[in-house]
Amino acid sequence: MKRSAIILLLFLAVPALLTSCLFDEEDLFDQSASERIEAAKQEAKTILESAENGWHVRYFPSPTLEFGGYNLFFKFSDGKVTVASEIERDPSTTETSLYSLGEDLGVTLNFDTKNALINYFVHPRNPDGLGSSYKGMEGDYKFTVMETSAEQVILRGIISGNYYVMTPVAAETDWASEMETYRNNSEDMAFSSYSFVVKGKAYPATLTNRRFAVKIDNETTFYVPFIYTRTGLSFYMPIEADGVTAQDFDFVDGYYFAEANGADFKIMTPEPIRSDIKFEVTVPKETKTYKKVVVNAAPSNDTEYYYIGVMPKSEFEAQREKKLLQNLVGVLNSNIGAGDDPETIAASLLYKGNSSYTLDYPSFYDEYVAVVFGCAISDGSILSTTSVTSQPFSVSPSLLPDNAAGNYKRWLGKWAVTSTSSETSGTSYTFYITVKPNVINSSYKISGWGYTTYANLVDISATYLSSTGVLRVTGNQENLYQTKTGTVYLANRYVNRDTGSGYGILNSTNASNLVATYEESGKAKMVGRNGSLTSGVNFTITSLEMYERRAGSTSYYYLPIASGYTSLDYFVGPYTMVQLVDADGNEISGAGPRATAATTAAMPGPAAKALGSESVAARE
């Protein structure tokens, strides 16, 4: 194949666009220039506002098209534009702002006031970190109007120079449902590897964001940006390969894309391995205690791998099955490092034959789902081979032993913990914990502690002092969780009590680093202990936070920040605690709204490695 065999072509209509005007040449001598532009602006306004259910927009940001395209909806009315975007987690999200029509070597369409859904592509700091830290995705909020008709409007971005094609949204289309389709497709149609196959000849391709890099030979790579559609994907512009021109593709059999008009052009992904293995999943009542639950799985054969895990019911129900499988398989594969034997890793993470999985320290206050699915090893990776078999279950507070003291029980349940301030922004933060029984009348396990991504993966320990009824948390709890790259533990943060500054990590343990005192029904106060360093610094413990210490490192800790919190903005106590759910599972009236923190499925075997970590220097 010649190096020029795949070339990007302009839209077939583009030559017409570049020569067309929003008014006819024969009018040139009948109207002044200002009259013609005003007439063109009025025509554009009429067309834009004529689409009763708005316009579907193929939005391609960036002059290099490196991010590919995104589906947006625009609805114009009375000088305002309402926008929806597939980027939004809630597909029903819209935002309305002002728009206007101006002139700059032709009619321009301008977004005049901030619109967060457009700002996602325009802001120099993209919320998801896409693009550079000072240019973002380089999207457009001002466009030259190239062509208008009731069937199609074509814009050209003034920043990017890209063409934005708008077509009317059908009157019967529900915006939220349509956006959910695009968003789901962008998840379901993403794979680990690709190849462009034209007339039987394959060219390897890699995917970054929504742009393929197609390798023609050792010296030639072509970039093909695309957008996900309702039925597959569509290139920004048609491409030609070995005499075959293609732009639109349909998704077939759940794993490859075929050219929509029947041309001999496919985009292939790994063919899935499918199994007919079946599972019987049970959670026997007799195995349930206040400290553990056993999930049993009986497969229809004992030769194939399968996964067992447990997750909160709310998380299970919030994900479509394919996305759930992608997430869980992704976590499994994150344990396979360079040089590792996939079979060895699979044997440590997965099961064969009749097996069981134990969930330690379940919460009385949450419902769970046991998740089981078949797995196989292919090309060095773990793949799912079946759909999900699930079994919901819960653990009753009635399993708590009768000898549990009342003052011990009153700490059990769900609490909102609110800091007084924080180190960087001075902001008061609230996080949500669940206090679970460990050793009756002696100790607890707490989930949801702090603001890292470990919070809902790791239970920390707390003790109960019967003589005073206080709950206390000790810092420097080690070996809480094993990651691919190190070990998670709980560290102390402190402030110099004399100067009010000099926050740092204190590498020492004490039985009462943070002490919570029960003040009145459903309310408590938590304060940090005072002490002195050997250097003479008088300190107060301000917070306890989970860090990962990387293997081979003694002076740095890694802190992956959970969504919704400011990076490295450590909490500062004292803390107020408000109980949301009591020991018996009753919601407490007047406690305020319950917040649901993000959670991660419990994983068997070695834990997944932490991603997106940030580092801070440790100080004695």
Side-chain angles (χ1 to χ4, degrees), residues 493-523:
R493 295 287 295 175
Y494 73 92
V495 64
N496 185 319
R497 191 166 66 252
D498 299 323
T499 65
S501 61
Y503 292 95
I505 296 173
L506 179 64
N507 292 322
S508 66
T509 60
N510 187 278
S512 56
N513 282 330
L514 286 179
V515 176
T517 303
Y518 202 92
E519 295 187 327
E520 58 181 281
S521 180
K523 293 184 180 179

Side-chain angles (χ1 to χ4, degrees), residues 185-500:
N185 285 354
S186 70
E187 296 174 349
D188 294 349
M189 298 178 186
F191 297 90
S192 59
S193 63
Y194 300 83
S195 62
F196 280 33
V197 182
V198 185
K199 294 182 178 180
K201 187 170 183 179
Y203 300 89
T206 57
L207 178 65
T208 303
N209 297 315
R210 300 183 180 192
R211 186 176 71 166
F212 292 115
V214 186
K215 187 174 182 179
I216 307 307
D217 54 37
N218 289 334
E219 299 177 359
T220 310
T221 299
F222 284 95
Y223 296 92
V224 186
F226 69 91
I227 190 170
Y228 289 104
T229 67
R230 297 186 76 257
T231 59
L233 57 81
S234 176
F235 298 155
Y236 171 67
M237 291 183 179
I239 70 168
E240 183 182 307
D242 284 342
V244 178
T245 300
Q247 182 175 15
D248 300 314
F249 292 80
D250 294 325
F251 193 47
V252 182
D253 290 341
Y255 76 97
Y256 74 93
F257 302 85
E259 200 279 327
N261 297 311
D264 192 359
F265 193 147
K266 293 182 174 67
I267 304 172
M268 301 301 299
T269 72
E271 184 172 356
I273 299 173
R274 297 188 172 107
S275 171
D276 59 2
I277 189 173
K278 305 294 183 185
F279 303 96
E280 180 182 356
V281 182
T282 58
V283 185
K285 182 178 180 180
E286 60 271 19
T287 69
K288 294 181 181 179
T289 73
Y290 72 94
K291 292 184 73 169
K292 70 177 184 178
V293 174
V294 177
V295 177
N296 293 330
S300 57
N301 72 60
D302 59 4
T303 61
E304 297 181 39
Y305 284 122
Y306 63 93
Y307 165 96
I308 310 175
V310 172
M311 63 177 58
K313 184 178 179 181
S314 58
E315 179 183 344
F316 177 81
E317 293 180 340
Q319 300 182 70
R320 296 173 304 109
E321 182 178 61
K322 184 156 188 178
K323 184 61 177 176
L324 174 63
L325 286 170
Q326 286 178 341
N327 287 341
L328 293 177
V329 170
V331 173
L332 289 168
N333 281 315
S334 71
N335 288 275
I336 303 176
D340 288 344
D341 176 15
E343 285 286 348
T344 301
I345 301 298
S348 68
L349 296 173
L350 304 173
Y351 298 79
K352 286 184 179 180
N354 292 349
S355 300
S356 62
Y357 170 76
T358 300
L359 173 65
D360 292 317
Y361 303 105
S363 166
F364 298 147
Y365 321 109
D366 297 287
E367 295 180 285
Y368 296 95
V369 175
V371 173
V372 178
F373 58 88
C375 295
I377 308 297
S378 177
D379 294 328
S381 297
I382 298 172
L383 306 175
S384 62
T385 62
T386 70
S387 58
V388 169
T389 299
S390 61
Q391 179 63 51
F393 67 91
S394 59
V395 182
S396 171
S398 65
L399 293 173
L400 194 67
D402 294 337
N403 67 331
N407 283 351
Y408 174 83
K409 286 181 61 177
R410 67 185 181 181
W411 287 107
L412 300 175
K414 289 182 175 286
W415 296 78
V417 182
T418 303
S419 70
T420 299
S421 184
S422 61
E423 293 185 20
T424 302
S425 65
T427 300
S428 174
Y429 282 106
T430 298
F431 60 100
Y432 299 86
I433 64 171
T434 300
V435 182
K436 303 175 288 188
N438 184 16
V439 177
I440 299 302
N441 299 329
S442 179
S443 63
Y444 306 96
K445 290 290 185 179
I446 300 178
S447 61
W449 186 273
Y451 75 160
T452 71
T453 57
Y454 305 125
N456 292 288
L457 281 173
V458 180
D459 287 344
I460 68 169
S461 298
T463 58
Y464 168 71
L465 188 61
S466 59
S467 60
T468 58
V470 303
L471 177 152
R472 57 192 184 185
V473 184
T474 303
N476 261 31
Q477 296 180 27
E478 298 185 351
N479 299 316
L480 290 173
Y481 189 71
Q482 193 67 42
T483 73
K484 176 71 174 178
T485 52
T487 303
V488 173
Y489 74 103
L490 192 71
N492 305 281
R493 295 287 295 175
Y494 73 92
V495 64
N496 185 319
R497 191 166 66 252
D498 299 323
T499 65

Side-chain angles (χ1 to χ4, degrees), residues 590-619:
R594 285 180 61 184
T596 302
T599 55
T600 300
M603 295 291 301
K609 70 178 178 181
L611 302 178
S613 299
E614 299 196 39
S615 63
V616 292
R619 296 193 298 172

